[in-house]
């Protein structure tokens, strides 16, 4: 037969209680960091959405934290608009503005401009010639409506000067 005798003096009770308190405080610290991360991603997402809502652009924003760092990466999805043609200029201002307002560092902004058009839908649109408000699509449509063949011929210097 095996007998185990355990004596608890005040020092061992204090050590066990201290271990339990340290363990619980660490668990609470982990939950706090997780909530802080969720709040930071939500703050960045809401800020970018509001930023573009004031300009009249409809965007969907996703925000992700980089591994082990206090930096974030965002994904902005929008319809292809001419004002986003030079989005790299907008990125620097937006990153600085996010840091200034929320205190969070955005490492990189990725843009996504999905265009869902099937061949049949494109043919129907070409036939219907639906007018659009976006100048970007008008430029592309005008470029594609031009003649597909090139015409090369000699011209006099006066004709050249008159055409420019």
């Amino acid at each position: 037969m095996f007998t185990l005798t355990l004596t608890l003096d005040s020092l061992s009770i204090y050590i066990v209680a201290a271990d339990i308190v340290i363990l619980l405080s660490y668990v609470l610290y982990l939950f706090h960091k997780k909530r802080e991360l969720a709040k930071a991603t939500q703050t960045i997402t809401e800020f970018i959405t509001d930023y573009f809502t004031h300009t009249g652009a409809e965007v969907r924003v996703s925000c992700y934290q980089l591994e082990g760092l206090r930096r974030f990466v965002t994904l902005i999805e929008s319809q292809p608009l001419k004002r986003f043609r030079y989005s790299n200029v907008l990125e620097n201002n937006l990153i600085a503005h996010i840091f200034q307002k929320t205190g969070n560092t955005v490492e990189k902004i990725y843009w996504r401009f999905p265009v869902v058009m099937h061949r049949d839908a494109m043919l129907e649109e070409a036939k219907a010639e639906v007018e659009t408000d976006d100048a970007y699509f008008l430029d592309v449509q005008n470029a594609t409506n031009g003649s597909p063949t090139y015409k090369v011929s000699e011209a006099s210097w006066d004709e050249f000067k008159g055409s420019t």
Side-chain angles (χ1 to χ4, degrees), residues 16 21 23 41 47 79 98 106 110 114 126 130 132 137 141 143 149 163:
V16 169
V21 168
L23 182 64
T41 56
F47 179 79
Q79 293 297 321
I98 289 170
V106 174
Y110 293 101
V130 176
T132 180
F137 282 123
Q141 186 177 14
T149 60
S163 66

Side-chain angles (χ1 to χ4, degrees), residues 120-131:
D120 298 332
M122 288 174 34
L123 290 174
E124 289 176 13
E125 282 189 20
K127 290 178 184 176
E129 294 182 7
V130 176
E131 290 189 25

Side-chain angles (χ1 to χ4, degrees), residues 37 40-41 44 63-65 70-73 105-108:
L37 173 66
T41 56
I44 293 171
C63 184
Y64 305 100
Q65 181 192 23
R70 181 83 173 131
R71 297 180 178 201
F72 297 91
V73 172
T105 304
V106 174
E107 185 75 25
K108 187 70 179 158

Side-chain angles (χ1 to χ4, degrees), residues 81-150:
L81 300 173
K82 189 170 185 172
R83 69 177 114 172
F84 293 145
R85 183 179 287 174
Y86 301 107
S87 58
N88 58 339
V89 176
L90 182 63
E91 284 179 20
N92 294 332
N93 294 333
L94 187 59
I95 288 171
H97 205 58
I98 289 170
F99 181 73
Q100 196 175 43
K101 295 292 183 180
T102 65
N104 296 312
T105 304
V106 174
E107 185 75 25
K108 187 70 179 158
I109 296 176
Y110 293 101
W111 297 85
R112 183 168 184 255
F113 304 107
V115 177
V116 181
M117 297 186 89
H118 299 286
R119 184 175 287 274
D120 298 332
M122 288 174 34
L123 290 174
E124 289 176 13
E125 282 189 20
K127 290 178 184 176
E129 294 182 7
V130 176
E131 290 189 25
T132 180
D133 294 338
D134 193 7
Y136 180 73
F137 282 123
L138 291 175
D139 291 345
V140 172
Q141 186 177 14
N142 290 338
T144 57
N145 287 343
S147 65
T149 60
Y150 293 102

